[in-house]
Amino acid sequence: VSASRTAVARSRSLAGLSILCNQQFVENRVYEEEPEEPAEKGSVEPDESEEALRARWGAALKTGLGALRQKVFFDENGDPDGDDADDVYNSRPLPFVIGTPQFLASDG
């Protein structure tokens, strides 16, 4: 029911915008951009930028591997694949819904 209400509201707003577009002139401008000046060749040393790039890629790789360790993969039958499946999210209980008596009585 809420999905159909959302679809109707979207359709009505698009129709309203279409009517407005047909009744009112909307000006679009395109400005020319000034060409950028090339940086000086001696301002950045290639060794320093390569080291910084390697450090960023290394940090990104460590973060990605950490995320993969938390991911649980399943086989065709729906069983967890592998013995080292760490599921940190399903090991904790869900929080209480805000406003319920259990939420008001809890410490967190």
Side-chain angles (χ1 to χ4, degrees):
V1 174
S2 64
S4 62
R5 287 183 184 170
T6 304
V8 169
R10 182 187 59 85
S11 297
R12 290 185 72 196
S13 62
L14 287 175
L17 288 172
S18 177
I19 291 170
L20 178 65
C21 180
N22 291 333
Q23 293 176 351
Q24 183 178 357
F25 176 72
V26 179
E27 183 178 358
N28 294 319
R29 293 185 181 185
V30 177
Y31 296 101
E32 291 185 21
E33 295 182 9
E34 296 180 10
E36 296 180 12
E37 296 180 13
E40 296 178 16
K41 293 182 179 179
S43 62
V44 178
E45 294 181 19
D47 295 334
E48 291 178 353
S49 63
E50 186 175 330
E51 290 295 324
L53 184 62
R54 286 181 189 266
R56 284 189 7 209
W57 277 96
L61 182 63
K62 286 180 184 177
T63 304
L65 289 174
L68 281 175
R69 284 190 198 103
Q70 294 177 357
K71 176 72 177 147
V72 177
F73 295 100
F74 295 95
D75 60 7
E76 305 84 36
N77 301 327
D79 298 325
D81 190 21
D83 297 331
D84 58 346
D86 295 333
D87 192 1
V88 294
Y89 298 107
N90 286 327
S91 63
R92 297 184 286 179
L94 290 174
F96 297 111
V97 177
I98 297 174
T100 61
Q102 294 90 354
F103 176 79
L104 297 174
S106 68
D107 294 333

